[in-house]
Amino acid sequence: MLYWQVLINGVLLGGLYACAAIGFSVIWGVMNLINLAHGSMIILGAYITYVINSATGLDPFLTIPISGAALFLLGFMVQKYLINHVIEGSVFMTLILTFGLDLLLVNMTLLLFTADFRSITPSYAGLGWEIGTIRVPYTRLGVFFFALALTLILSLLMNRTKLGNAIKATSFDKDAAGLVGVNVFQVYAITFGLGAAMAGMAGSLISVLHSFSPVLGGTFTMKAFVIVVLGGLGSVPGAIVGGLILGITENFASVLLEAGYKDAISFILLVAILVLRPRGILGKQFFAEV
Amino acid sequence: MLWNYRRKVAKLYRTLSFGMSVCWIVPILFFLCLSSPVKAEDVIRFGASLSLTGRMSTEGRLVKDGYDFYVKHINALGGIPIKGKKYKVEIVYYDDESDPKTAVRLVEKLIVQDNIKFLLGPYSSTCTIPASSVSEKYKIPMVEANGASNPIFERGYKYIFATLNTIDQYFGSIVKMASEVNPRPKTIAFINENSLAPQLANDAAAREAKKLGIKVVYKEKYPTGTKDLSSMLAEIRDKRPDILLGAGYTEGMILLVKQAKEMGVKVKMFGLLLGPTLPGFVEDLRKDADYLLEPIQWSSNMAWKDDVFGYTAPEFARLFEQDFGYKPDYHPPQAAAALLVYHHALQKAGVLDPQKVRDAIAQTDIMTFYGPIRFNEQGMNIGKGMAVVQIQNGKPVVVYPKSVAEGSLIYPIPRSQ
């Protein structure tokens, strides 16, 4: 019975991981831009939810659109007025820029919210369904479904709309996309905005389950990195698969092996995937090409 | 015109440079006047390297304020009376920038250059471990108040003493309290972060539990920065322990409380190494924080009373707030207590010889507003134990030991929780 519980825990965690990684994946896949400030954007989303929740008592799940909109705006502006200026240059320039942006966000949140750890406890926290000896907590289930829904919406946006086609066209070949009338830099700004919005909304979800502090962004960027490499760059289903694999592996490792090794197991998995299938489980080769 | 202007500038420059040199000379003369004529033997000088800037600066300042509290209050009484003569007290501070390597250099400087014979400890175990090696080398006593790791005391050193309880004593009181309640718990589970202090705390508590006949049914560690403990907690739930003790830092402790509830872990007693008394913890976790236990070094409502000033713990807290403008946590009183140790030892030794004072410190058996202090051979304070607080209706209440308790322990944790 314990193993069923572990499997469910793994799946629920995996959904959240997928949602936290998807924005990172899209930005990387479309622009070949590694957004080192991704984790800090997640934390910023969590603080937006925290502030609204403690001021008005609004349910954390209902703040998702607000943190999404706020982060979209931030991401759009950052890409339009900062990153677009260096995106044509070497990859190091964008790395340095997003690293600086990360420092800026971390210190800004430190200034605003101090380094104290925060968390949100809604009235239904800790309650859940009990099926035999298996427990499925409401908050985790809610987070899982919201994470999947957000990821699906993004997937529909990418595959069924004109904007999505423009984004994909730009990621395949930006010169060709420019020739057929796509405003490449505008598409870049929107893509970064979408990635940031996904990070912010994931942050809102994380605020319900975890504690957060301005300096914790780095660990989320790290997880996103692993998930994206596992699942495949720029691929929405890839992020879901990568997230689920990581979540399930971590949970089984913590029960079957000594729990202290669970991070080691995830990274061994990462290395194995890189050796056996470098483009990721669902990745297509051309996504990552420069 | 231009010529004229240049001359004016040159003149202005000469005036300024003369002014600057006067600016330098006056304070230098002033300090010379101050320092030389005062009879050196009437002042006892202590030295401390503290983390006044850098990542541990918040705590470093709390420690400095604790040391300064003693200095201010003893000098107001005219100083330490030793053999009918009163000695004023002074502390030479240096800022180690929260860096252990700098702390080592500064402690050496205090001993060699400033000729300090009595050292106070820096902040944190990471600084205390190397700094105490320097004082040991020069055979200068160091009474520290903020290094709780056991390795400080396991090197056979003769000149290091600490007022606070070491990390292995943290859970001792909770386990002991558990062995005294009715119905007596039979099983205990441990979970801790894979780093030094939490590991030491849980290892010692597990030994203590075995000694008292409580069976250890689960003992595991999780990696630093983990985002999920749910499966470990599911395993703990299935083992049905009576007590769960979690050791780690804030992030892990909040996760532990949330996920224990999510996974339906139902224990009779739930203790954390730290958290419940930190800012924001109870506020954010709300009623999920209720009934949690935490070991604490000191609390301002304890019934201790010191025999130098005659201050009780609440009086200390009130006077400290008056002097420094904020309510003290445990850092300032344990720092001030280090100077009380010196106070008694200096009186007992009757001379300012570091060797004799060290011997007197080793025989310390005193009462302070921070609690009783008595050292074992390694220099650890075995006079006091950790107290235990329980969160009751969102407020921390001291529940153990009975002699300082403000309320009684709620045990077992009510089932609805």
Side-chain angles (χ1 to χ4, degrees):
Chain A
M1 271 326 236
L2 179 65
Y3 294 136
W4 284 107
Q5 175 80 67
V6 173
L7 183 68
I8 288 170
N9 289 346
V11 171
L12 293 180
L13 180 69
L16 179 64
Y17 276 175
C19 184
I22 191 81
F24 187 75
S25 173
V26 166
I27 291 173
W28 193 356
V30 172
M31 292 182 273
N32 195 32
L33 166 69
I34 297 172
N35 177 20
L36 292 177
H38 186 74
S40 296
M41 290 177 166
I42 291 178
I43 299 288
L44 197 62
Y47 273 108
I48 290 173
T49 298
Y50 179 80
V51 168
I52 296 171
N53 176 267
S54 51
T56 65
L58 191 68
D59 191 276
F61 286 107
L62 299 179
T63 64
I64 291 174
I66 306 172
S67 59
L71 266 291
F72 179 84
L73 212 64
L74 176 76
F76 186 86
M77 295 296 194
V78 162
Q79 180 71 32
K80 186 160 183 183
Y81 294 108
L82 285 176
I83 305 177
N84 269 349
H85 294 286
V86 297
I87 193 111
E88 305 275 75
S90 91
V91 71
F92 291 109
M93 285 308 288
T94 56
L95 273 177
I96 291 167
L97 189 59
T98 57
F99 181 65
L101 197 65
D102 183 57
L103 289 180
L104 193 72
L105 283 177
V106 167
N107 284 294
M108 198 184 74
T109 38
L110 266 176
L111 208 65
L112 286 174
F113 305 107
T114 74
D116 291 345
F117 280 84
R118 291 293 176 186
S119 63
I120 297 173
T121 312
S123 55
Y124 45 86
L127 304 178
W129 277 301
E130 293 197 34
I131 312 152
T133 57
I134 297 174
R135 255 184 91 95
V136 187
Y138 296 145
T139 45
R140 309 203 111 214
L141 204 63
V143 166
F144 180 74
F145 280 121
F146 267 97
L148 279 196
L150 291 173
T151 312
L152 270 176
I153 291 170
L154 186 72
S155 175
L156 287 177
L157 188 80
M158 295 292 267
N159 293 320
R160 297 286 161 84
T161 63
K162 215 172 160 185
L163 174 68
N165 282 335
I167 292 174
K168 281 207 288 190
T170 312
S171 81
F172 291 152
D173 189 331
K174 73 173 165 46
D175 296 330
L179 283 175
V180 296
V182 174
N183 182 345
V184 172
F185 286 107
Q186 189 75 8
V187 165
Y188 279 170
I190 291 171
T191 309
F192 199 90
L194 284 176
M198 287 304 288
M201 293 189 283
S204 293
L205 294 175
I206 281 165
S207 73
V208 185
L209 296 184
H210 299 281
S211 61
F212 47 92
S213 143
V215 293
L216 286 184
T219 54
F220 287 107
T221 310
M222 200 68 178
K223 292 269 186 231
F225 210 90
V226 175
I227 291 159
V228 169
V229 174
L230 274 178
L233 212 52
S235 146
V236 175
I240 298 180
V241 170
L244 288 176
I245 290 178
L246 188 68
I248 294 169
T249 321
E250 280 191 359
N251 271 280
F252 272 100
S254 71
V255 170
L256 294 178
L257 302 156
E258 203 174 320
Y261 294 129
K262 75 177 191 189
D263 281 358
I265 301 295
S266 332
F267 282 99
I268 289 171
L269 197 71
L270 178 72
V271 173
I273 289 283
L274 278 175
V275 172
L276 299 174
R277 199 180 155 82
R279 70 185 104 139
I281 295 168
L282 295 183
K284 299 186 183 80
Q285 241 159 355
F286 47 78
F287 265 105
E289 281 173 7
V290 195
Chain B
M1 272 303 276
L2 192 67
W3 174 243
N4 216 346
Y5 172 74
R6 275 193 183 156
R7 266 217 326 230
K8 264 188 185 164
V9 168
K11 198 178 162 194
L12 184 71
Y13 178 76
R14 276 199 304 275
T15 322
L16 271 179
S17 52
F18 176 73
M20 292 288 267
S21 47
V22 172
C23 281
W24 276 109
I25 290 166
V26 169
I28 289 172
L29 282 176
F30 180 72
F31 278 112
L32 281 176
C33 293
L34 260 189
S35 54
S36 56
V38 174
K39 279 168 282 169
E41 65 267 29
D42 286 353
V43 174
I44 299 178
R45 290 161 76 232
F46 295 93
S49 153
L50 279 178
S51 305
L52 300 176
T53 56
R55 70 191 170 89
M56 300 185 291
S57 57
T58 315
E59 294 89 343
R61 286 181 185 280
L62 298 178
V63 179
K64 181 173 184 289
D65 289 347
Y67 289 153
D68 286 344
F69 177 89
Y70 170 83
V71 174
K72 183 180 173 215
H73 286 250
I74 198 69
N75 285 345
L77 293 178
I80 310 177
I82 301 170
K83 287 191 172 163
K85 193 173 158 197
K86 286 196 168 176
Y87 292 82
K88 292 258 182 191
V89 173
E90 205 180 282
I91 302 178
V92 181
Y93 289 114
Y94 289 121
D95 174 18
D96 60 33
E97 297 159 14
S98 310
D99 174 32
K101 288 196 284 294
T102 313
V104 166
R105 203 160 43 74
L106 292 176
V107 168
E108 189 139 25
K109 183 172 183 224
L110 281 166
I111 299 170
V112 177
Q113 254 175 34
D114 299 316
N115 206 18
I116 296 292
K117 297 276 178 268
F118 311 108
L119 286 167
L120 296 162
Y123 179 77
S124 84
S125 293
T126 42
C127 287
T128 308
I129 291 174
S132 54
S133 297
V134 179
S135 53
E136 188 74 18
K137 185 173 89 182
Y138 289 98
K139 296 192 190 308
I140 296 290
M142 176 186 274
V143 180
E144 62 110 339
N146 291 280
S149 282
N150 290 68
I152 298 172
F153 310 97
E154 286 166 352
R155 298 169 296 176
Y157 284 6
K158 291 271 175 287
Y159 291 82
I160 180 81
F161 301 91
T163 56
L164 80 175
N165 286 113
T166 45
I167 203 85
D168 65 328
Q169 293 169 293
Y170 272 52
F171 277 144
S173 300
I174 295 184
V175 175
K176 196 147 174 294
M177 177 175 79
S179 72
E180 291 165 9
V181 293
N182 199 17
R184 197 173 193 272
K186 292 183 187 69
T187 51
I188 187 166
F190 292 99
I191 183 167
N192 69 271
E193 182 178 315
N194 192 5
S195 60
L196 181 65
Q199 189 69 48
L200 282 170
N202 267 5
D203 287 349
R207 279 197 301 275
E208 188 76 15
K210 273 181 210 150
K211 216 189 292 168
L212 292 167
I214 303 171
K215 195 176 163 210
V216 179
V217 291
Y218 182 91
K219 189 169 179 294
E220 277 287 349
K221 45 185 183 262
Y222 59 84
T224 304
T226 197
K227 299 279 169 240
D228 191 34
L229 297 168
S230 55
S231 291
M232 295 175 82
L233 285 161
E235 211 178 341
I236 291 175
R237 174 193 66 201
D238 292 354
K239 300 231 156 113
R240 298 176 178 282
D242 292 330
I243 309 172
L244 174 58
L245 293 183
Y249 297 98
T250 323
E251 188 195 4
M253 293 297 96
I254 294 177
L255 194 62
L256 183 64
V257 175
K258 286 191 152 197
Q259 296 198 326
K261 195 175 174 201
E262 284 173 3
M263 285 293 108
V265 174
K266 290 193 176 86
V267 289
K268 293 176 183 155
M269 204 183 254
F270 191 174
L272 303 178
L273 188 67
L274 57 85
T277 53
L278 287 174
F281 192 94
V282 172
E283 202 180 301
D284 290 347
L285 284 173
R286 304 185 192 174
K287 61 184 193 328
D288 289 358
D290 267 343
Y291 312 110
L292 289 172
L293 302 170
E294 183 188 345
I296 54 159
Q297 295 275 4
W298 180 83
S299 133
S300 65
N301 36 36
M302 288 177 163
W304 311 121
K305 185 177 177 180
D306 89 277
D307 39 21
V308 172
F309 302 110
Y311 298 155
T312 59
E315 274 170 354
F316 168 82
R318 190 176 53 78
L319 290 167
F320 185 88
E321 197 180 351
Q322 209 173 304
D323 289 350
F324 297 96
Y326 62 94
K327 282 192 171 56
D329 67 344
Y330 60 89
H331 291 99
Q334 71 196 17
L339 281 151
L340 289 173
V341 168
Y342 270 121
H343 181 105
H344 287 275
L346 284 163
Q347 282 186 322
K348 196 169 183 181
V351 286
L352 301 184
D353 172 50
Q355 181 60 45
K356 295 226 166 66
V357 172
R358 182 257 154 222
D359 293 343
I361 293 172
Q363 291 160 23
T364 299
D365 189 359
I366 59 169
M367 180 55 95
T368 69
F369 41 71
Y370 176 66
I373 298 175
R374 200 170 74 239
F375 299 115
N376 67 3
E377 286 211 336
Q378 295 168 300
M380 293 150 68
N381 181 8
I382 48 165
K384 82 174 195 60
M386 298 293 287
V388 182
V389 288
Q390 184 174 44
I391 303 297
Q392 298 179 356
N393 285 323
K395 296 255 171 341
V397 177
V398 180
V399 294
Y400 191 86
K402 294 254 160 53
S403 53
V404 294
E406 300 170 281
S408 48
L409 173 76
I410 297 177
Y411 173 88
I413 295 173
R415 264 298 177 214
S416 61
Q417 292 290 314

